[in-house]
Amino acid sequence: MTKTYQLVGIGNAVVDVIAQCEDSFLADLGIEKGIMQLIERDRCEDLYAAMGNRVLTPGGSVANAIAGAGALGLQAAFIGRVRDDALGKFYADAMNNESVAFVNPPVADDELPTSRSMIFVSPDGERSMNTYLGISSELASDDVPQDVAGNAQIMFLEGYLFDKDKGKTAFLEAARDCREGGGKVGISISDPFCVERHRADFLNLIGEELDFVIGNQDEIRALFKTDDLEAAMAKTAAICPLVVCTRSGDGVTVLNDGVRIDVPVEAIVPVDATGAGDQFAAGFLFGMATGRSMETCARMGCICAGEVIRHIGPRPETNVLHLLKEAGLA
C-alpha cells in the first residue's frame, strides 16, 4: 500500500539563532561549551540580546533531519508545536518552503512563545546550545494527527520530547499508529543528558515499540551506563533490530539483525558542527525509505553530514542529492 508520507518526524519545533563567538565570550556569559543546556525565558532574552550577527533558521534536531530528507526528494512531514507569533509563523513557513509539510498550524492564544535555541559557534566549530523550550515541549497526543502517523512509511522520533509525560504518551500512540499501518518507527536518542533523565523509558521504548535507533557513541554508551562502546552497542542490538552508531572521526557502525557494517568517514575540520548528526540521519533515512542497503544508507548519511559541517547552520546549503550522485550512491 502506498503511503502518503515516506518520512514523518515528531520533535521540538525550535528556531535556531546562530552566532559565532570566541571562547572568552562563552566564559564571560557562563555558557558551558559544547553541550545543549535548557534555559528559562529570562536567560533566553539575555543571551539573545548579547548575540551579534544572528542567523535565524528553523531548527530542532529531528526537524533538521526531516528537512534534509525533504531536500533529497522524500515526501516528508514534520509534527511540531509553535505559537502564532512572529517566530512561529517564520518556522511554519520555512518548513513548508523546504518541501516539508508542517502539519500543525501555529497555535493561537497560548501563554508560551515559540521555542528558540541560541547557538554559539566557537572558532574550532564546536557549538554551545542554550535552548528555551517554550511551546514546543507541550506537544501532546492531540498534536499528532492519526491520519499522518498511520500513513508514514518511516517515523522518526526526537528523544528531547521525553521530558514531559504528554510527549511520551504522544510518542507511544504515534508509534503504534505507524506500525499498525505497516510503517517502521525509530528514535534519535538526542543527547546523553536526555538519556540520563529517562534511561528506563528510553530502553523500554527501544525494546518494545521501535524498529531502529540512531545515536552517537556517547548516547549509545549512556543507554547502559558504560564506557565500553562495543558492549553498549551489543546490548542495544539485543533489544532493537537496527542500531546505528555514529563515532565522529571513527566512522559509523550499523548493527542490523546481527550483521555488523562499519563505514569510514572523510576527515573534515568543521566550520560548524551544528546539525551533523541530524543530517547524517537525513541521509540514512533517505536511503532506508528508498530501499538502499544498510552500507549505502550509512554512506549517504556520512556525505550529508560532511556537507553540513562545512558551513554555518544545521541544514544543507548545496544540492546534496547531486553529491550523492557524484559518489555513485543515487
Side-chain angles (χ1 to χ4, degrees), residues 228-295:
D228 186 337
L229 179 60
E230 292 296 327
M233 288 193 297
K235 288 180 178 180
T236 310
I239 62 171
C240 188
L242 175 58
V243 179
V244 185
C245 179
T246 58
R247 298 181 289 118
S248 190
D250 293 326
V252 178
T253 297
V254 179
L255 300 174
N256 181 34
D257 288 329
V259 177
R260 176 173 180 146
I261 301 162
D262 290 298
V263 175
V265 295
E266 177 188 356
I268 302 169
V269 177
V271 173
D272 172 17
T274 309
D278 305 334
Q279 294 312 314
F280 171 84
F284 191 92
L285 295 171
F286 172 76
M288 279 184 64
T290 53
R292 267 51 175 219
S293 70
M294 288 293 104
E295 179 178 355

Side-chain angles (χ1 to χ4, degrees), residues 112-315:
L112 295 173
T114 296
S115 311
R116 73 285 312 265
S117 181
M118 275 64 65
I119 303 173
F120 298 90
V121 184
S122 39
D124 59 1
E126 192 63 71
R127 79 270 197 216
S128 307
M129 304 169 68
N130 297 262
T131 302
Y132 169 63
L133 288 177
I135 196 174
S136 70
S137 64
E138 297 298 314
L139 186 136
S141 299
D142 289 346
D143 297 306
V144 183
Q146 188 173 9
D147 60 335
V148 176
N151 278 294
Q153 180 184 338
I154 298 172
M155 177 171 282
F156 194 41
L157 309 175
E158 181 174 312
Y160 285 133
L161 278 176
F162 261 50
D163 278 320
K164 295 202 174 176
D165 287 341
K166 63 178 77 174
K168 296 176 191 176
T169 300
F171 270 10
L172 280 173
E173 294 176 358
R176 289 168 182 169
D177 286 341
C178 180
R179 293 180 97 184
E180 285 174 8
K184 291 189 179 297
V185 185
I187 194 168
S188 163
I189 299 179
S190 295
D191 188 278
F193 297 102
C194 196
V195 176
E196 293 294 336
R197 294 192 295 270
H198 309 292
R199 182 175 287 106
D201 285 331
F202 262 113
L203 290 174
N204 184 64
L205 186 74
I206 291 168
E208 301 295 330
E209 306 285 350
L210 302 185
D211 302 290
F212 65 93
V213 57
I214 299 177
N216 66 32
Q217 55 195 350
D218 294 329
E219 294 157 358
I220 297 292
R221 286 191 192 106
L223 283 173
F224 293 95
K225 297 177 72 173
T226 178
D227 292 329
D228 186 337
L229 179 60
E230 292 296 327
M233 288 193 297
K235 288 180 178 180
T236 310
I239 62 171
C240 188
L242 175 58
V243 179
V244 185
C245 179
T246 58
R247 298 181 289 118
S248 190
D250 293 326
V252 178
T253 297
V254 179
L255 300 174
N256 181 34
D257 288 329
V259 177
R260 176 173 180 146
I261 301 162
D262 290 298
V263 175
V265 295
E266 177 188 356
I268 302 169
V269 177
V271 173
D272 172 17
T274 309
D278 305 334
Q279 294 312 314
F280 171 84
F284 191 92
L285 295 171
F286 172 76
M288 279 184 64
T290 53
R292 267 51 175 219
S293 70
M294 288 293 104
E295 179 178 355
T296 298
C297 291
R299 290 177 63 197
M300 286 178 162
C302 291
I303 287 173
C304 292
E307 188 278 337
V308 81
I309 66 174
R310 286 179 164 92
H311 58 76
I312 297 291
R315 298 190 178 185

Side-chain angles (χ1 to χ4, degrees), residues 63-112:
N64 289 336
I66 301 304
L72 288 168
L74 288 189
Q75 291 293 115
F78 179 69
I79 295 169
R81 189 173 173 85
V82 298
R83 173 85 186 271
D84 66 343
D85 51 20
L87 283 181
K89 292 172 182 175
F90 161 80
Y91 192 98
D93 289 344
M95 290 295 282
N96 286 319
N97 289 339
E98 291 186 17
S99 302
V100 174
F102 189 76
V103 299
N104 307 70
V107 179
D109 303 321
D110 196 287
E111 292 182 6
L112 295 173

Side-chain angles (χ1 to χ4, degrees), residues 16-27 29-37 39 43-55 117-131 271-274 312:
D16 284 342
V17 186
I18 305 169
Q20 293 178 291
C21 72
E22 299 296 326
D23 287 344
S24 57
F25 179 90
L26 300 179
L29 284 173
I31 297 168
E32 188 169 348
K33 183 175 177 179
I35 69 165
M36 193 286 287
Q37 290 182 294
I39 59 174
R43 173 73 165 164
C44 164
E45 292 172 357
D46 290 343
L47 292 183
Y48 185 84
M51 300 177 89
N53 298 316
R54 307 181 194 99
V55 175
S117 181
M118 275 64 65
I119 303 173
F120 298 90
V121 184
S122 39
D124 59 1
E126 192 63 71
R127 79 270 197 216
S128 307
M129 304 169 68
N130 297 262
T131 302
V271 173
D272 172 17
T274 309
I312 297 291

